[in-house]
Amino acid sequence: MREVAVVSFAQSTSVRNNAVQNEVEILMPVIQKAVADSGIPSKEIGFTCSGSADYLAGQPFAFVYGLEAIGAWPPVRESHVEADGAWALYEAWVLLQEGEIDSALVYGFGKSSPGQVRDVLTRQLDPYYLAPLWPDAISLAALQARALLESTDHTEREMAEVAARSRRDAKTNPNAQVTGDFDAEQILSDPYIVSPLRKHDCAPISDGAAAVVLAAGDLARKVSKRPAWIRGIDHRIEPHYPGVRDLTRSPSTRKAAEAAGALQSEIDVAELYAPFTSQELILRDALGLAKPNGTKINPSGGALAANPIMAAGLIRIGEAATRISNGEANRALAHATSGPCLQQNLICVLEGE
Amino acid sequence: MSDPVEIIQTPIRLEYNYTPGVARSRFLNGLAEGRILGERCERCHKVYVGGGSGACARDGIPMTEVVELPHVGTVTTFCVVNVPFAGSTVEIPYTTAAILLDGADIPLTALLQEVPAADVRMGMRVEAVWAPEDERGPTSDSIRYWRPTGEPDAPIDDVLKRMRADA
Amino acid sequence: MTAGAAETQVLTALHVLEYPYKRSVGPVIGRFLTGLRDKKLEGIRGSDGRVIVPPVEYDPQTAAELSEFIAVGPAGVVTTWAWIAEPRPNNPLQKAFAWALIRLDGADTALLHAVDAGDETRMKTGMRVKPRWREERTGHILDIECFEPEA
């Protein structure tokens, strides 16, 4: 396997509603920073891959606009996934394995504010059996949360503690949107929005973008003092229909983690893409992190502090990589998810040299 | 009714609160004032008009220099439409053209009228026909259509050369 | 140059995305939906013998092509639920209701639909529910208007 590392990462500050900028305007400074910080001249980057969802913008081919932020002249080699930027990173990593390129720019972006994102996300569901019912994203997560609470030892209090911890840790994250000292007891006295989920159990609605530059082997060593090496990366998917799955477990996360070599030794930092507190508990069970011991879970605050859909998974990889590069951690795990109720999961294992 | 079900109707409707961003807003607000506003890239010096994203697509940088453009230009390419679409009020056949305004490097796509489709040609000089002042707003409908000026055609090879990305 | 008032105001506007989607359903989904039109519910037998509802063309574990249909329901058991105090515009019911996963009698997997329980206190995992059929049925998942408590 060819050595590939994250050599830079940039993100916008997530906001509830960026009514003034379009996606390209949000993206430009993020891409410029990631490229400048990478130490690799823009025109030398071998490949660009982006992740976004046209349905967030409500326009077919909206993703093509994103290319205006990268200056695609002379013509560039690029690709796109209608998925979180974490999967764009996976594609870039695969191309880097082939050896034809030595570096790649990956970005993810989206404005969740223009539409009703809870309803927009129903458009990803089975068009025959599910989509005509319009079961929104929070409702689906609530079905999963109740199953979790009723068939395992997990509790609403644990969920509230995840919410409180996330927003408290996010206080040191300048790009987070929802931060502060919330008390689990106080959260538990709030009404449900869709039982058994309360507002604090859910990620905020965010507009934002993120970019990562990957470099291979000696190039990574040349441009970065401490590259965050991708030691393993894998993603797995479960059947789509929620009624066919055991929603209280995440076998795809487990499988991806095994294949990526995540479970082989201790993890210092785990950045998990859990837009719902209940989902963090399920992911931690799958990863053997139910009792984190030494592993710091979501020091960035995670998706509960900022959830720019289509960038949030890539941000997990970026946040984990940053902690490697700045010496805070030696071994980190980043996770991204896609689809209803944790249907599809990606695991990326990062290490310092 | 015993035929097996083969088709289902699953219509969707989603509403969005859309913002075009700064550049296109400026373009549309300009139209409300009877002006055509574009912007110039400080790096490659190309002039964009028609309200793109606000980025120079060549350089990937924001454009901040605003340029006001005249209301005349050259047809660079065009197509003749023979098929109506639902809600259209334009007489068939009609011609849409990519019009390079004098001073711009990116063409605007717009409707041509007051010229038979068979007479439209690359290089033809055209001018904007505006809606009456009290009917203008931040919408591309503020310019009703474009029509020939009657000037001799512009040398099309020079015009096309200007539009090349590597020019 | 200055752009006057044009410079000062970023615009927003309502944008409506509408598609009239018509979808061909194929023989497996088509059979299930045809059944709904006739107030019948069917599952399909999977590779490991379990009865999958709603039916799928290929086994979720083995990808084998499936073809054996089994009658299920009409009633079933709620395996999980979520209370919607405020329905969203396109939901099956426009009053407070529960989403539920419902394992119909004879099925091994659960169907997702709405339950008109009237009040959240009536919802309970394990409760039995039965379909409320729409008067005019066309062969569509919404031929079931919703489920309701069996009692």
Side-chain angles (χ1 to χ4, degrees), chain B residues 2-164:
Chain B
S2 55
D3 293 338
V5 172
E6 292 182 339
I7 304 271
I8 53 173
Q9 312 273 2
T10 56
I12 72 163
R13 180 194 164 91
L14 288 164
E15 293 188 0
Y16 297 81
N17 196 27
Y18 171 72
T19 183
V22 171
R24 193 173 283 136
S25 295
R26 179 169 52 227
F27 174 71
L28 292 170
N29 287 327
L31 293 181
E33 294 173 8
R35 304 161 74 195
I36 301 179
L37 299 175
E39 42 281 313
R40 176 183 286 118
C41 174
E42 66 186 25
R43 202 173 288 172
C44 70
H45 310 298
K46 296 281 187 183
V47 173
Y48 290 72
V49 67
S53 66
C56 170
R58 254 179 66 141
D59 297 301
I61 59 174
M63 295 185 290
T64 50
E65 186 191 340
V66 180
V67 175
E68 180 148 11
L69 289 142
H71 306 177
V72 290
T74 306
V75 169
T76 61
T77 185
F78 63 94
C79 79
V80 180
V81 181
N82 292 289
V83 178
F85 60 88
S88 165
T89 52
V90 184
E91 201 184 299
I92 297 291
Y94 65 88
T95 309
T96 59
I99 301 163
L100 192 69
L101 298 180
D102 295 350
D105 295 288
I106 303 290
L108 273 176
T109 304
L111 174 68
L112 298 186
Q113 296 280 270
E114 298 186 34
V115 54
D119 293 349
V120 177
R121 61 217 175 257
M122 291 163 68
M124 189 169 84
R125 298 283 297 157
V126 292
E127 64 188 0
V129 175
W130 290 83
E133 228 178 288
D134 59 353
E135 286 177 38
R136 292 178 204 161
T139 159
S140 47
D141 290 344
S142 297
I143 296 178
R144 291 271 194 258
Y145 55 81
W146 297 68
R147 70 177 169 214
T149 63
E151 297 166 88
D153 287 1
I156 190 58
D157 288 343
D158 293 348
V159 173
L160 294 177
K161 203 184 283 185
R162 188 195 167 121
M163 282 167 52
R164 285 170 57 110

Side-chain angles (χ1 to χ4, degrees), chain A residues 19-21 25 54-55 57-60 116-119 123 125-148 150 192-196 238-245 247, chain C residues 10-12 15 17 19 21 23-25 28-30 32-33 50 52-57 60-61 79-86 88-92 99-101 108-114 120 124-125 140-142 144:
Chain A
V20 171
Q21 291 182 305
E25 289 163 335
D54 286 351
Y55 263 113
Q59 293 164 65
Q116 295 290 305
V117 70
R118 282 170 72 173
D119 298 324
R123 299 307 91 199
L125 300 173
D126 177 295
Y128 315 100
Y129 296 144
L130 290 175
L133 302 174
W134 294 77
D136 67 278
I138 297 183
S139 294
L140 294 174
L143 288 172
Q144 181 178 43
R146 178 175 304 282
L148 183 73
E150 290 183 348
Y192 294 124
I193 55 167
V194 178
S195 73
E238 297 173 34
H240 173 71
Y241 198 85
V244 155
R245 296 171 45 208
L247 298 178
Chain C
V10 177
L11 300 168
T12 61
H15 164 60
L17 183 72
Y19 289 119
Y21 286 133
R23 298 185 180 271
S24 51
V25 294
V28 172
I29 297 173
F32 177 76
L33 297 178
R50 66 180 176 156
I52 300 167
V53 174
V56 290
E57 297 97 332
Q61 306 301 126
T79 61
T80 184
W81 57 276
W83 188 252
I84 305 295
E86 284 168 29
R88 303 183 73 74
N90 295 298
N91 286 159
W99 288 114
L101 284 176
D108 296 294
T109 72
L111 177 76
L112 192 151
H113 218 292
E120 188 174 1
K124 196 173 149 56
T125 296
H140 191 282
I141 190 66
L142 289 168
I144 301 170

